[in-house]
Structures are given as structure tokens and as C-alpha cells.
Amino acid sequence: MGIRFDSVTVAYDGNVVLASLDLTVEPGEVMALLGPSGSGKTTALRAVAGFVRPESGRVLLGGRDVTDLPPYRRGIGMVVQQYALFPHMRVDENVAFGLKARKHPRISRSEIRQRVAEALEMTGMAGYARRHPRELSGGQQQRVAIARALAIRPDVLLLDEPLSALDAQLRSGMLAELARLHRELPDVSMLYVTHDQVEALTLADRIAVMDKARLQACGTPKELYRSPADEFTASFVGGANLVPVTVGSAGVSFAGAELKVDTNGVIAGARAILCVRPHLVGLGQGPNQLVGAVREIQWRGATHRLYVEVDGHTVMADVRELKDPPSLGDPVALHFAPEDAVLLPAGVTHE
């Protein structure tokens, strides 16, 4: 079952928090809503769940208009960041809660037991059925919350920052588990809200980038990472060097250097933004060479990140761990291949 936002606008006391969202999640697809706090992504998810009523527009599930339906009639599973488990109930009782609360159609006790067992097995929690939430780690509690959502066998699964309360190692493990669940449940559409670009890049089939209540861009992770449509998308999906350049008849110039870059349709004489990912910037002489002074060095285990000031702008370079890194203030040369840069029109936003 797919999800469709048809010009959905949500406002609180006249303040628009989601503006004319048009977006389709295909059946079986994982769509990540990625953006900073206040971008409208959680509001979009809550509109699908039925917790907020759009001021205008429609929400459709599988082609059916559910805009006016209450949450319990939408057949949706939902996982939130704080787990929302009942502390006085055992794990199996928490997972069974949504099934027991269903009125139409009623589910027999034997089927409830079967579905609870299936959901716990699927999330790797079958051995914890008799425990209470206080006896579980944060990652285990989140697995129980996912099992509870899956027990009702939803066609649509909504996940609202489900890993934000976990530490880095647990997040990595849960991402792998969610990816596995997606493979095992190919017909379930997932709408995944996050502000973490790694989660979105790792899990999603497509990413919808949100900012200031509006959809800025939508595409596959590779499309948005390699060919971002604007500065905001480039900076929020993966992080990037973004420096102002001038497009001339002979090419692109920055800091007195002539650079070989595909002009991407930007006309001569126009201002533009050069986008290069830090891991594609090399240290030393090479094509598209820039010279600057080291302002900061961060050791990141397998790599060093160099922050180099070039003509008043900071250029980041992620290079393999250096045995003898430069000192602060040292002059260094950086370079990048022509095919590794993208030229963006300056000041373009998608509103």
C-alpha cells in the first residue's frame, strides 16, 4: 500500500508548519523524510497517522482518501523515539496490546498469540517475551516497540526518529535490523523520519529533504548525494564543500585559479556554487589545484579532516590517516577531479 500527500498543508494558529506537500511513497518503498528540527517532517508523518488534521489537501493510503478517518481506522503501525512501552506489562503483553484493542475485526486469542510470537521472532526478541521493559536495554525496548507495530500486520509502517535515543553502536545495529525487516516485508511501505543523514542514506530507497515546512528535493540517496539540486540539499545530505565561484567563457574561477568543471548549464558571467564532497578532495598537487593555509586538523581514526582556508573560504579534505600531518598555519595544496565536482546555481531554493 502506497502513501500519497496531495498538496497537504498543516497550520497551527495560523503558523504554517507543512506547506503544500506533494509526495508519493510507492508500495513497499522506504521513504526517509530528512531535515532539521522544525522542517515539517514529523508533521507530515503525523498527518499520515491521523494525529493532525490538514488545513487543506488530502492524505491517501493505497489510493483511499483517509484524511478524515481516525487513526485506529487507518491500519498503520507506528514506532516513536521514546518507545512508549507500558512499564507494568510484559514484553508479550506490550506487543499484543494493539491486537487486543482492535474492535473490527476482532482477533481470537490463539491468533493473537501467534502474531505476537511471529513479531518477536522477526525482531529477535522471542527469548524476552516474559520480561518487563525495565529489564531490557534501550535497543531491546525499541525492538519490542517495532514488534508491537508489526504485530498488527500493517500495510504502512511509520517510524518517527526511532533510533535517536540510542548510542552510536546500538543505532548501527538497529539500522541493520530495520534493513533486514525491509527485505523480509517487501510489501510494507515505510515512512522514516530522521535528522540523521547516515540513517537516511543507509536505509531509504528515496529521501525527501525537508526545510522550513517545504519539500526541497526528493530522489534516491545516490542522486541527492552525487547530483544535489541546491545548496541546502548538498549540505544536509552527506556534507559538502560549498564555495562561491564565477563562471566565465573559459571555465570556472575561484581564488585566482581556473578550474575544469562541468558548468551544468550555468551561463557565463553568473555566480555559482561549487560543490565537492570532502572525501573527494586530495592533498598535494593535482588537477583543479587550490592553495591555502591549514586552520584546523581533526583525527578521525582512519582519516584526518583538514580545514584549509582558501581565499577566505574553508575547504574540507578527508584524507587517509597521515603519519606526519601538517601543522596549523602550514601552506598546503588541495586538488579534486573535474568529474567529482557539481556546479549549482547560486541562491536557488525549491519552494
Side-chain angles (χ1 to χ4, degrees), residues 235-250:
S235 63
F236 210 83
V237 180
N241 290 302
L242 298 168
V243 294
V245 297
T246 300
V247 180
S249 56

Side-chain angles (χ1 to χ4, degrees), residues 10 19 21 50 53 61 102 104 128 133 151 157 173 175 186 217 227 232 260 262 300 307 311 315 317 324 342-343:
V10 177
L21 177 60
R53 177 71 169 81
L61 298 177
R102 275 194 163 183
H104 304 287
Y128 300 84
L157 182 60
L175 270 177
S227 303
F232 179 81
K260 294 183 179 179
D262 186 346
R300 300 189 172 193
Y307 294 81
D311 196 31
V315 178
D324 187 22
V342 177
L343 207 61

Side-chain angles (χ1 to χ4, degrees), residues 161 275 335:
E161 306 265 13
C275 169
H335 67 272

Side-chain angles (χ1 to χ4, degrees), residues 14-329:
N15 179 38
V16 175
V17 293
L18 185 65
S20 300
L21 177 60
D22 284 302
L23 183 67
T24 298
V25 182
E26 300 295 341
E29 183 179 35
V30 178
M31 174 75 78
L33 297 181
L34 177 67
S37 297
S39 60
K41 57 189 187 297
T42 294
T43 300
L45 184 115
R46 290 173 61 84
V48 176
F51 298 147
V52 297
R53 177 71 169 81
E55 185 174 89
S56 61
R58 301 180 302 154
V59 177
L60 298 97
L61 298 177
R64 179 175 64 124
D65 190 342
V66 298
T67 310
D68 297 318
L69 291 182
Y72 65 87
R73 291 186 58 191
R74 300 193 181 196
I76 287 173
M78 188 166 183
V79 181
V80 297
Q81 54 186 299
Q82 295 301 329
Y83 322 139
L85 301 179
F86 298 108
H88 63 287
M89 291 184 180
R90 298 190 312 266
V91 165
D92 54 355
E93 293 171 331
N94 267 283
V95 175
F97 181 82
L99 295 170
K100 291 180 177 178
R102 275 194 163 183
K103 303 298 183 184
H104 304 287
R106 282 196 175 276
I107 301 173
S108 68
R109 290 183 180 181
S110 61
E111 186 173 353
I112 288 175
R113 286 194 297 270
Q114 179 185 343
R115 290 202 194 182
V116 168
E118 288 176 354
L120 290 175
E121 183 68 32
M122 189 174 293
T123 53
M125 292 300 292
Y128 300 84
R130 307 293 290 181
R131 295 192 186 185
H132 286 81
R134 64 179 177 273
E135 301 175 277
L136 306 176
S137 68
Q140 290 169 336
Q141 290 183 47
Q142 191 60 292
R143 287 171 185 247
V144 174
I146 294 171
R148 182 176 56 189
L150 294 177
I152 65 172
R153 297 178 180 172
D155 294 313
V156 172
L157 182 60
L158 307 179
L159 301 107
D160 187 9
E161 306 265 13
L163 309 184
S164 62
L166 305 180
D167 62 37
Q169 186 172 359
L170 282 175
R171 277 203 305 273
S172 178
M174 284 301 300
L175 270 177
E177 289 300 315
L178 288 171
R180 179 183 60 79
L181 282 174
H182 176 42
R183 292 192 298 270
E184 293 183 4
L185 301 168
D187 297 327
V188 176
S189 301
M190 298 186 189
L191 192 60
Y192 189 100
V193 165
T194 183
H195 64 270
D196 188 306
Q197 55 185 296
V198 173
E199 292 180 18
L201 291 169
T202 300
L203 189 63
D205 297 310
R206 287 191 298 152
I207 300 172
V209 181
M210 307 284 294
D211 187 42
K212 298 177 181 177
R214 293 184 178 275
L215 177 66
Q216 297 294 321
C218 184
T220 67
K222 287 184 179 179
E223 288 171 346
L224 297 182
Y225 188 82
R226 294 176 178 173
S227 303
D230 53 52
E231 292 178 59
F232 179 81
T233 301
S235 63
F236 210 83
V237 180
N241 290 302
L242 298 168
V243 294
V245 297
T246 300
V247 180
S249 56
V252 175
S253 61
F254 170 67
E258 293 296 324
L259 307 175
K260 294 183 179 179
V261 177
D262 186 346
T263 57
N264 199 26
V266 181
I267 62 173
R271 291 175 58 250
I273 300 296
L274 182 71
C275 169
V276 187
R277 302 294 180 182
H279 74 279
L280 298 175
V281 178
L283 182 62
Q285 296 183 344
N288 288 334
Q289 184 169 299
L290 302 172
V291 177
V294 177
R295 290 292 176 249
E296 185 178 347
I297 302 175
Q298 294 178 352
W299 179 66
R300 300 189 172 193
T303 64
H304 278 94
R305 170 165 286 190
L306 305 182
Y307 294 81
V308 180
E309 184 177 328
V310 181
D311 196 31
H313 299 279
T314 298
V315 178
M316 300 176 290
D318 289 341
V319 296
R320 292 185 63 180
E321 185 179 12
L322 299 169
K323 293 182 178 179
D324 187 22
S327 300
L328 297 183

